[in-house]
Structure formats: structure tokens, C-alpha cells
Amino acid sequence: MSTAASPLHPAADPASDDAHGHDAVERGPFAWVATVDHKRIGILYLCTAFFFFCVGGVEALLIRLQLARPNSTLLSPDAYNQLFTMHGTTMIFLVVMPTLVGFGNYFVPLMIGARDMAFPRLNAMSYWLFPFGGFLLHFSVMAGGAPSGGWFAYTPLTETPFSSTQGTDYWVLALLVLGVGTVATAINLIATILTLRAPGLTMGRVPLFVWMTFVTSILMVLALPVLNAAVVLLLVDRQLDAHVFLASGGGNTLLWQHFFWTFGHPEVYIMALPAFGMISEIIPTFSRKPIFGYEFVAASTVAIAILSFGVWAHHMFAVGLGHSADLAFAGSSMLIAIPTGVKIFNWIGTMWGGSIRFTTAMLFATAFLIQFVVGGLSGITFAAAPIDWQVTDTYYVVAHFHYVLFGGTAFAILGGVYYWFPKMSGRLLSERLGRWNFWLMVVGFNLTFFVQHFLGILGMPRRVFTYPDLPYWGALNMASTVGAFVMGLAALVLAANIAISLRRGKVAGDNPWDAWTLEWATTSPPPHDNFHEVPPVHGRRPLWDLAHAGDAAQPTEPVAPSRPRRAEPVLDKGVVAVWSFIASEAAFFLILVIAYVFFNLSGVAGAAGPSAASVLDVPKTAVFTGCLFASSFTLWMSEKNLEREAHGAAARWLLVTVALGAVFLVGQASEYLGLFHRGVGVATNLFATTFFTLTGFHGLHVTMGLVALLIVLGRLLAGDFRHHRSSVLRAVGLYWHFVDVVWLVVFSLVYLRAAG
Amino acid sequence: MSAAPLGSTFDPHSPEALAISTLFGQTLAVCAVIGAVVAGLVATCVVRFRSGKRPEVPVQMQGNRSLEIAWTLVPLAIVVGLFVLTAGAMAASDPPATRAPDIVVVGHQWWWEARYASGAVTANEIHVPVGKDLLVRVESTDVIHDFWVPQLGRKVDAVPGHPYSISLQADAPGTYLGACAEYCGAEHAWMRIVVVAQPQADFDAWEDRQRRPAALPSPANAEATRGEAEFRAKTCITCHAIGGEGPPAQVAPDLTHLAERTTLGAGVLANDPAKLSRWLHDPQGVKPGSHMPDLHLSDREVSDLTAYLETLQ
């Protein structure tokens, strides 16, 4: 990558190997279907998410209609229960996450001066998994009924005896599909941010939206696989008659909650951090000052991400885990408020002393500050476990999470829409309609949800299809319903604003807000390859620096000019992607390993039925294990030979690797067959369930690895590797070694413990 | 139910609930101050720093390390204080279970079973003596439920395979309303709880009555006598125990002293003869999804059974 002195250097990554050389490619009727352009994919995400927002919004309005009056029989309990389950699942997985990913997709490459994401075709696949997942979820309506176990699907309610329709199964399948897409996007974003930044754009200079998206992507890589593993186990229970989460079969119902919330709490930060990133772009632009405390906003984000994995059981205070556990999680949950508070104060510090223009985007950002703090403070009350013991599972909690997710994230997104719509479409949204949109939304939102704090305190539980005529319950619920319809009106105004402005809005120009980050250094909308020329980057505000080039009085960033700039290490995007993928797979396997350990090695479950010691042939498996470990060595030999350009030798070592891997798979297949013949199947007992799940998924990964190795071998033999492609083998090799490491863990825990 | 009490978390009627509402008040006060500070700062920015009266290019402040330290350490101090208060309130509001329970409450889809240590068995409506500290063990036979009476203390999940005991103590006579607070399926909304606190003597009398088997209706009451026979003939007895007769495990609410209770169907109807008849006539219409089947009873069977059940004082 060149570090040219002139401003005419091209956008980053000239060695990109995908189909971006062509200009006329993205026209025609299938252009949007076949696109790999991150900008179009971003818009596809946003439009599809808006569609699901309308679906989820109608579900919400039906819920509020049913709750407007006590003892209402407008909707049947079953219909209502499906509605609130679908509303929650839709809003989280089909609206908020895709919207944030859509904005990230569109703007991260622009903000870092890149031509596209690191892996454009992976990006397209990730998008298409989104409508597919949404379709799977909604197909359930025609297949016996939508899921009705709530968005967090607590067992045993969602096990077959209590949820006999297929709704829950479609819910699981949809989440698996959506989860794969999300992790793929996260890997893509991590690789893009780490390897495609324009020269001069260090991680200490990227816009905070990029920082937040980066940290969010790491959270996605680690948290979504946890959900995937949990729902896989639920599916095994439901479809293969296992009892992982059923106490009646020796399982543990609370294990579901531990797994789910280990995903669930990082998930809420996944939904919050990119929104924080948007706020961190909007407020400085309209306050005409840089963000206050950039390093602290970035560092507090990292702190939140780390802490978010340590607070999950605050969702389980009412379960009765014991005071030690409750107190520990109360402490960690209170701690996580501090970095969030740091951000709030830095945003206020940005506004303070500024010259604030209250455009619609800024209005939404200002309302965000107040509303998110209200939600955050009610969250603090929950961290104090005894208070949670009163108000959890009531409308107080519904109020809390809507304040942070709607009053917070959704308002930030609305700000982002008004801020970035001109860049995406070339036209400004109407400020007049924007003000109507804003005020209707503020009034409607606060009316809907503020009163719900009181309902919870008065004793109204959540997820009830109706309620008795107790004092104030009817009046407060009616007020909340009225507010919801005002919100619906606000959404209509937004839709109208977008529709009208797309055709008749004022032309925006490159930089209508006079902002300073790189997305504003190109046309609106940007050309296919994003930039005709990327401006030089010497600080956090490249356009400010360009405009104030000779202006010694205004420092660009607080760094002594004489300090030599450390050369950025050149990371290979394939290697970054594989390490991120390995991290996601490690999280997935961790859950399966925990399930195995919990039911077999912790002395918790009773010891009825087959066990590792009684049915496993350790010596035979040791032989196949030896083959698998040997294959890591032969693969390493192949890599070494490729580096020395000894392509023939590399291909031979690769062939031996594939053969050794195949021997392992044959060995595992014969082991499985032996077990089946002895009557040991997935559902026989919890040893069997956890054994087959853990080793089965490992076998699946070995299979995938073999396919990847065969593809590489084919390319090698076809002569594709004469052009410095050894990083591909290195990347696949890393994955293969990881699969071996997983087997090392499994072999030790399952087989060696059995023999010992 | 007309003159119902305001069952609020801030209307505690037990030492445990009081500990929680105190903590809640303290925490809300702190939150209110923080919220006011933040709102005040934002409002100040909105008023003082609007672009109209400000220079076009304001001073380009990057940050202030001292401020960052201050607004990290001050919240940390607040959090530490809150943590200490929390630890104290936990001990006060959820004392450890050190003996066998006085009442075992079992959650079912969608009703509550209550078994007293003395042997009394009832459903949905729990009587307690005023001022006595009772240990209540909460369990479930099917899915996760949650036992919650806000005026009397914390809620606790009824988890199958994972019982947990809480303290229940009412410091004044009265009726305290609660509800199942963990989504448990179709009729989660109608799994309400009534706790009636009575002076010790009245409670003792109530408990004695509960432990006595049901008396057969007097032969003079022809309707009720027919109803008693129909209760067996129509198979009601296979699910609903009466006076020690009936299923070994509790499949459906024990009806031995049904007539005394204030509600039917775990709160979905008030308990009077007309509503009881309506329930018998069309249980799925009143509480769709509940496990009581529609037995297609004739009008005469309904009135006989109502007459019989009304004798179960």
C-alpha cells in the first residue's frame, strides 16, 4: 500500500481481488439482487429493516389496543402471546440489528477511505440471510402459529410438552440463519476496519462510529454463537427428544437462562454501541466542535464490551441463585453504568461551549441524551437486586428497555437517518416534516412508556394479555395506548418525508452539514468506487484540516509533531477474517463444552445410563486422534513448501492432510455406528446428548475444513498460487489447526477423563 | 372486584417489603439528582449555546483530563454507596431459610396450589396470621412461574426442579393482591394470587376448617345432593380433590372449601353462584386455554353442581 504524498492516491487496497474494476456492472433489473456494492447492500438492509419495523409496529399497536382497557377480549390470549413474542423478536433481530449493520455497511468503508468492504461477496450473502431469516420466522404463522414463548423463549415453556406447535422451531431456525449472517458481517467489518484504512488513518483517528462498529463487531463475533449453540440444544430437545433443559429428564432448566443471557446482555450493547457511534458523529457536527474526550469515549466503549460478559445473571435475580451470586452480579451491573456515564458527559461536553444548530438530526440526538439517561437510571435501580426482586417482570422493565432501546437507540437511528440521508440519496430530508416527525415521536414515545414505570410499581406483570380493573391500571394503560398511536403517526410522517424528499428534496451537495469526516469528502451519493480521490489524513477531522491548512492557531490533534509515527503493521484481511471466525467458533464450542462438563463432569446429574467410561473405545479413538493431529503437521509442511514456491511438494503434503482428515472422519463415523448399534442415541441420556452434540459439531467442522482444503488443493494444482496467494492457505490452515485444538479439548475432557 | 387496594411496591406491609421500598426510595432519590443534573446541563446547552448568539467557529476544545477523572470517580463512589445499601437490603428483605417451610406454594399452569405444614390444602387464596414470619417454599410442576405479592415482599420464580424459600409476613390484617410474574403460557394473565392476613385466632379457625374434610350436603338440599353425585359421575373428582378424596397429586385446584374463596379461576372471576355457573357452563370461554375441559354440562347439571359447590364452606 502506498503512502503517497499527493492527494491523488487511490482508495485503499489496490491488491483487492474482487470484481470492482468494472463501472457499468450495476445496472439492469437484477442489479440490486446481484449487487456486492456495500452502499447498495447498506440500503437493502435499511429498506428491509424498515419493512419489518412496520410489521413490528403493527404488532405493537395491536398489543396496545388489547391492553387499552381492563378485562379486554379483543384478542385471544394465544393471539396476544404470539404478537408479543413476534414483536420482540422482530424489533431486535429484524429491525434494530439490521439497521445498525446497514448504516455500518454503508458508512464504515466511506469513513475509512476504502472502496468497499473487505469481502464484498460475503457481504452480499450476509444481507440475503436477513430476509431469508425473516421469512422463516414469519412462515411459522402459516405452519401452525407463530412462536409464543416470548422473545427469550424460557424453557421448559418452549419445550415440546408446553409448546407443541412448530412456531418455536421456526424461531430457532430463523435465529440460526440470522446469527450466521450477523457473524459474517461482523467478521467483514473487523477485517475492513483493521486492514483497509486509508494511509494516515490510524485507529486513534478513525471516526467514533467506526470505533463503536468495530467493538460491536467483536461483541457479535463472541455473543451470537452463544445464542446459536443454545438454540441448537433447544432444537435437539424439541426435535430429537433430548432433555438438556427439562428437569424431568435430568436436565437443567436454568441452564437455558444462563446461556441465553450470556448472549442477551452483550446483545443489548450490540444494539446500543453503534447508536452511540451515530450520536458521536451528529453532536460534534452540529455543535461545530470536535467530540469531547475522544480517547475516553473510545476506551469506555471497550470497557463496556468487556464488562458486558460479566453481568448476565442480573436478568436472573428473581430465580433464586443465592445471595452471593446475586450480589456479585449486582456489583458488576452497577459498574457497567460508569463507562456509559462517561460517554454521556463527553457528549454534553461536546455541546458545551459550542455553536449548536438544531437540525432535525440534532433534535433527535438531544432527546436521545435525556431519554437514554432515564433508561440508564432505571437500569441502575434494577442492578440493586432487591429492587429487581420487586419490579423485574413487570411493566417497569418494559419501560426501562424501551427507554434505552427506543428512546435511546431508535432516536439515535432517526438522527442518523436525517444526518446521512443526504449522503445516501443526494437530497436533504424536509426540515419542516422533520420537526413534525420529531415532536410527534417525542410526545408519543414518552407518553407510551413513562406511564409504564408506574404500572410496574403498582403491580402489573408483563406479558399479560389483559388485567383486572385495579385502581389506575386502566387509565395508565389507556394513556400508553394513545401514546403508541401518536408514535405510529410519527412513523407515517417519517415515511412521507422520505418518500417526498427522495423526489423533491433540496439537492444536498457533497457536504451539506460542513462536517469533517471522510464520507463527506465525496459526492452525494458517492460514486461506485466511493472516492475520486481520498483527502490526506493527518488527524481525526481530515476535512477540517484541509479547510484550515495554514491555520496554526487551531491544532488538529493533541500530538507533538516531532513524535515519529509508528508504521502500521500490514495485516492480511484473510488472516484477520479467519482469526475472527475462529473466535466465533470458539464461543460456539465453549457452550457445547460447558454443557458436556455440566452434565458429566461436575457431579450434578445422576449417573443413569451410558457414560463415557462405559461406551467409548478410547484406544481406537486415540488412533484417529493421532491422525488428526498429524494432519496439522502435514498442513504446516505444505505451508512451508508453498512459501518456498515448491508447489508440487506443497500439493503432496496437502493431499496427505486431506487423507488424514478423512481417516479421522471415517473413524468417527464408525464410532457413531457402533454406538447406535448398542442403542446409544442422541436422546438416550444427557451423556449421550452432550457427547453427540459436541463431537458431532466438531465432525461437521472437520468436514467443512476438508472441503476448504480440497478447494485450496484444486486451486494449487490449477496454478492459481503463483501470484502470492499463500495467505489463503495460511488462513485455511489456521482454521484447520483450530479444529484440531478443539479436538484436543474434547478428547481430553470426554475420552481421557473416561479412561482415567 | 371494586374497592381493591392499591397494591404498590411503595405500600409495604411487611418488614421485607419495607426494606425493599426503602432501598428503592433511596436509589430513586440518587437517580433523580443525577437525572436532574444531566437534564439541567443539556437544557443549559440548548439555551446558552444555540448558534444564533454564538461565534460561527467556537473554541475547538478536545477534552479535559480532570473532568474525565471526576466524572468517572464520582459515579464510582455513588456506585459503591449503592452497593453497600444493596447488600444490606438483600439481607433484610430475603432472610435465609433455616427451617422447614410453613407453606409450600406450587405453581401450575394456571393456578396456585398451597399446602400448609399443618396439612391444610387450598388453592389460589392463601390465608396467613398477622405478624407471623412464615417461610414459604415456592415450586412448580410444569413451567417457570413466579410468586409475587408486591406489598408483602420480593418475587421469586417457581422453577421446576429448583425450589426456593422466601419469607412472608403481613404486619396488618387485610387482603393483599399478587400475580404470577413469569410468563407461563396462555393464561399467565389469570394466575393471580390473593393473600388474606387475619388475626391469629381467625386464622386458626380458618386453618381448622381447611383441614376438615368436606361435609356431605344435607339431604334436604336435593339440588346439592344431586350435584355431589354428579361431581363424581361427570369425572370432576378425577382432577379436583374434595375432602381428601381425589387424585393423589394435585392436578387441579382442591375444591374442599371452594365456597369460601373470593375468586374463581385464579382471579378471572369473582366467586358468586352466577359466576360459578358461568364457569361450569363454559370454562374455555371464560379462560381459554386453561386445562379444564368443557364437559358440555346441561343447565340442570350446572345448577346442581353449583348448589353442591356452594355448600363447600
Side-chain angles (χ1 to χ4, degrees):
Chain A
M1 278 195 268
S2 60
T3 50
S6 88
L8 283 168
H9 56 65
D13 193 12
S16 162
D17 61 344
D18 45 57
H20 263 240
H22 320 283
D23 278 323
V25 73
E26 303 226 337
R27 269 171 219 139
F30 291 108
W32 283 85
V33 172
T35 186
V36 296
D37 178 346
H38 72 101
K39 300 184 291 299
R40 290 201 166 179
I41 290 174
I43 290 174
L44 284 173
Y45 269 110
L46 294 177
C47 293
T48 313
F50 186 75
F51 166 74
F52 282 115
F53 174 68
C54 297
V55 171
V58 165
E59 286 160 354
L61 291 178
L62 286 171
I63 288 172
R64 286 307 331 161
L65 273 176
Q66 165 67 15
L67 291 176
R69 275 185 291 255
N71 298 305
S72 174
T73 50
L74 183 69
L75 295 171
S76 74
D78 193 37
Y80 181 88
N81 296 338
Q82 292 177 36
L83 278 174
F84 77 69
T85 303
M86 292 295 276
H87 169 76
T89 308
T90 297
M91 287 307 195
I92 289 171
F93 293 101
L94 303 178
V95 180
V96 171
M97 287 174 74
T99 302
L100 296 174
V101 159
F103 274 111
N105 238 299
Y106 198 107
F107 286 101
V108 163
L110 283 168
M111 284 176 163
I112 62 174
R115 262 197 308 214
D116 205 303
M117 297 273 276
F119 302 102
R121 281 167 296 192
L122 183 68
N123 202 13
M125 182 202 85
S126 306
Y127 165 71
W128 286 104
L129 287 177
F130 164 37
F132 180 43
F135 167 74
L136 270 177
L137 178 67
H138 287 85
F139 187 78
S140 60
V141 174
M142 291 184 287
S148 60
W151 92 273
F152 40 83
Y154 277 2
T155 59
L157 181 63
T158 47
E159 296 269 6
T160 312
F162 306 104
S163 287
S164 52
T165 68
Q166 291 177 313
T168 306
D169 303 290
Y170 280 102
W171 180 85
V172 165
L173 292 174
L175 288 186
L176 284 171
V177 166
L178 293 167
V180 169
T182 303
V183 171
T185 298
I187 292 173
N188 216 340
L189 283 166
I190 292 172
T192 305
I193 293 169
L194 284 182
T195 68
L196 297 187
R197 278 168 285 126
L201 193 57
T202 62
M203 284 304 287
R205 289 174 177 170
V206 294
L208 283 170
F209 180 70
V210 173
W211 252 114
M212 307 281 180
T213 303
F214 178 66
V215 175
T216 303
S217 301
I218 294 175
L219 281 179
M220 286 174 171
V221 157
L222 295 175
L224 267 303
V226 170
L227 175 67
N228 276 11
V231 299
V232 159
L233 290 172
L234 179 61
L235 199 61
V236 169
D237 267 12
R238 287 180 59 85
Q239 294 295 329
L240 299 177
D241 295 322
H243 294 83
V244 177
F245 304 117
L246 276 171
S248 55
N252 187 303
T253 240
L254 290 179
L255 200 59
W256 167 264
Q257 295 188 30
H258 283 293
F259 287 162
F260 185 86
W261 290 117
T262 301
F263 149 77
H265 200 86
E267 167 67 7
V268 311
Y269 290 104
I270 288 171
M271 292 192 282
L273 293 181
F276 291 170
M278 295 180 177
I279 297 293
S280 305
E281 301 299 327
I282 294 170
I283 291 187
T285 298
F286 294 110
S287 305
R288 310 310 298 152
K289 301 168 56 213
I291 185 79
F292 194 89
Y294 174 102
E295 303 90 342
F296 290 90
V297 179
S300 63
T301 308
V302 176
I304 287 176
I306 294 172
L307 282 170
S308 73
F309 282 99
V311 301
W312 80 86
H314 69 220
H315 299 272
M316 298 167 68
F317 280 153
V319 155
L321 294 173
H323 282 202
S324 316
D326 288 348
L327 200 57
F329 282 99
S332 59
S333 306
M334 290 180 193
L335 272 181
I336 205 169
I338 296 173
T340 311
V342 164
K343 288 197 182 41
I344 301 275
F345 289 122
N346 277 296
W347 288 321
I348 294 177
T350 308
M351 289 172 77
W352 193 274
S355 174
I356 309 175
R357 276 185 59 208
F358 281 101
T359 58
T360 307
M362 189 60 185
L363 285 172
F364 277 110
T366 309
F368 163 94
L369 282 178
I370 307 280
Q371 288 163 178
F372 188 82
V373 167
V374 170
L377 290 174
S378 66
I380 299 259
T381 62
F382 279 109
I387 301 177
D388 183 284
W389 289 339
Q390 279 282 22
V391 289
T392 193
D393 262 307
T394 70
Y395 265 82
Y396 188 91
V397 124
V398 178
H400 158 70
F401 66 69
H402 282 96
Y403 260 86
V404 284
L405 284 177
F406 200 100
T409 294
F411 267 66
I413 288 173
L414 289 168
V417 167
Y418 279 87
Y419 185 55
W420 278 315
F421 180 89
K423 176 54 57 180
M424 292 191 280
S425 69
R427 294 181 181 274
L428 291 160
L429 283 168
S430 152
E431 280 293 309
R432 224 192 81 231
L433 281 177
R435 270 160 168 65
W436 274 100
N437 182 187
F438 172 74
W439 287 108
L440 281 171
M441 197 55 100
V442 166
V443 167
F445 165 76
N446 283 288
L447 179 58
T448 307
F449 294 108
F450 199 74
V451 298
Q452 293 185 359
H453 291 104
F454 301 120
L455 277 170
I457 287 173
L458 287 176
M460 183 172 176
R462 61 184 289 202
R463 302 164 144 196
V464 288
F465 77 94
T466 189
Y467 51 91
D469 190 7
L470 292 169
Y472 302 116
W473 287 35
L476 290 171
N477 269 291
M478 178 59 80
S480 183
T481 299
V482 169
F485 277 87
V486 174
M487 287 173 76
L489 198 54
L492 286 175
V493 172
L494 173 68
N497 199 349
I498 291 175
I500 294 171
S501 303
L502 270 176
R503 286 171 38 237
R504 297 194 331 215
K506 221 167 70 176
V507 170
D510 289 4
N511 193 354
W513 313 122
D514 195 11
W516 306 301
T517 42
L518 285 178
E519 77 267 31
W520 303 106
T522 183
T523 57
S524 302
H528 180 75
D529 277 357
N530 290 349
F531 294 92
H532 294 303
E533 51 183 273
V534 178
V537 176
H538 301 299
R540 293 174 185 149
R541 299 190 293 167
L543 296 189
W544 168 278
D545 296 340
L546 261 185
H548 294 80
D551 201 355
Q554 299 278 5
T556 54
E557 70 178 46
V559 167
S562 60
R563 192 167 73 174
R565 185 142 305 284
R566 196 162 39 93
E568 289 270 335
V570 176
L571 292 168
D572 175 78
K573 64 179 184 177
V575 171
V576 170
V578 162
W579 276 113
S580 308
F581 181 57
I582 285 173
S584 76
E585 298 284 74
F588 180 83
F589 276 108
L590 182 65
I591 296 300
L592 297 183
V593 166
I594 289 175
Y596 183 84
V597 169
F598 181 80
F599 287 115
N600 296 286
L601 300 179
S602 62
V604 164
S611 68
S614 69
V615 298
L616 294 181
D617 185 344
V618 179
K620 188 160 140 214
T621 308
V623 170
F624 298 119
T625 301
C627 293
L628 190 66
F629 291 157
S631 72
S632 262
F633 169 72
T634 58
L635 182 59
W636 180 72
M637 288 301 296
S638 177
E639 283 178 61
K640 285 277 155 290
N641 275 291
L642 189 60
E643 273 164 40
R644 288 179 358 207
E645 303 279 347
H647 288 207
R652 284 191 293 277
W653 281 108
L654 201 46
L655 195 56
V656 173
T657 306
V658 169
L660 287 170
V663 166
F664 175 84
L665 278 183
V666 166
Q668 186 169 42
S670 87
E671 178 187 46
Y672 275 22
L673 278 174
L675 287 169
F676 294 154
H677 275 132
R678 291 172 61 178
V680 182
V682 173
T684 306
N685 68 351
L686 279 162
F687 157 72
T689 305
T690 51
F691 169 79
F692 279 114
T693 320
L694 182 54
T695 59
F697 272 98
H698 175 264
L700 189 64
H701 283 71
V702 171
T703 310
M704 280 162 37
L706 282 182
V707 169
L709 286 172
L710 282 168
I711 293 174
V712 170
L713 181 57
R715 288 310 200 87
L716 188 55
L717 292 173
D720 251 1
F721 276 68
R722 302 194 189 282
H723 303 285
H724 311 286
R725 296 280 200 88
S726 60
S727 64
V728 173
L729 180 58
R730 210 164 101 229
V732 174
L734 277 171
Y735 172 79
W736 187 259
H737 297 313
F738 165 72
V739 171
D740 277 7
V741 168
V742 172
W743 186 251
L744 183 61
V745 171
V746 173
F747 188 68
S748 312
L749 279 176
V750 176
Y751 294 86
L752 291 183
R753 281 292 305 257
Chain B
M1 321 183 73
S2 49
L6 196 71
S8 156
T9 307
F10 282 108
D11 184 25
H13 281 269
S14 78
E16 291 83 13
L18 181 61
I20 298 178
S21 68
T22 306
L23 177 67
F24 204 173
Q26 293 161 337
T27 310
L28 280 179
V30 170
C31 291
V33 168
I34 297 173
V37 165
V38 170
L41 288 171
V42 173
T44 307
C45 289
V46 168
V47 168
R48 250 178 80 184
F49 301 112
R50 299 188 86 95
S51 58
K53 319 167 242 170
R54 301 280 301 149
E56 196 185 315
V57 181
V59 174
Q60 301 289 292
M61 282 281 290
Q62 306 278 342
N64 181 314
R65 177 157 272 161
S66 316
L67 270 180
E68 302 284 353
I69 294 176
W71 61 47
T72 306
L73 290 184
V74 170
L76 181 62
I78 294 175
V79 156
V80 169
L82 192 58
F83 183 78
V84 170
L85 289 176
T86 297
M90 276 176 75
S93 62
D94 192 33
T98 49
R99 60 177 204 280
D102 301 298
I103 311 175
V104 172
V105 167
V106 184
H108 299 262
Q109 281 180 319
W110 292 277
W111 59 282
W112 295 98
E113 169 192 345
R115 300 184 163 273
Y116 288 71
S118 60
V121 174
T122 185
N124 298 324
E125 185 174 304
I126 297 169
H127 286 233
V128 297
V130 171
K132 210 151 145 222
D133 183 20
L134 301 169
L135 193 66
V136 177
R137 192 171 78 213
V138 178
E139 312 176 344
S140 165
T141 57
D142 41 32
V143 299
I144 301 180
H145 301 276
D146 187 288
F147 183 84
W148 184 41
V149 183
Q151 289 170 290
L152 298 182
R154 66 164 291 174
K155 61 166 57 74
V156 65
D157 279 358
V159 182
H162 188 271
Y164 194 87
S165 295
I166 56 168
S167 192
L168 198 71
Q169 177 180 350
D171 47 21
T175 304
Y176 303 96
L177 298 181
C180 173
E182 182 64 64
Y183 175 60
C184 52
E187 286 288 347
H188 163 61
W190 290 117
M191 198 170 149
R192 299 194 59 84
I193 301 163
V194 177
V195 175
V196 178
Q198 302 169 292
Q200 185 72 49
D202 294 346
F203 170 79
D204 288 337
W206 175 87
E207 196 178 28
D208 271 338
R209 279 202 307 280
Q210 295 297 308
R211 294 174 61 209
R212 264 188 263 124
L216 280 174
S218 101
N221 190 342
E223 257 197 326
T225 308
R226 280 199 307 270
E228 197 267 344
E230 273 152 18
F231 190 83
R232 297 162 188 283
K234 304 307 279 193
T235 73
C236 313
I237 193 82
T238 58
C239 293
H240 288 283
I242 287 197
E245 264 196 86
Q250 291 257 321
V251 176
D254 184 297
L255 298 181
T256 314
H257 302 281
L258 173 68
E260 269 203 343
R261 298 178 200 157
T262 53
T263 67
L264 296 172
V268 69
L269 290 174
N271 187 0
D272 61 53
K275 302 241 170 52
L276 182 54
S277 296
R278 197 176 133 208
W279 172 261
L280 290 170
H281 196 77
D282 185 18
Q284 288 299 313
V286 172
K287 197 170 172 183
S290 72
H291 293 315
M292 169 130 164
D294 182 353
L295 293 162
H296 301 290
L297 301 169
S298 69
D299 289 344
R300 209 184 83 138
E301 285 163 340
V302 168
S303 62
D304 289 346
L305 282 164
T306 304
Y308 167 58
L309 292 168
E310 289 296 332
T311 69
L312 296 174
Q313 294 290 333

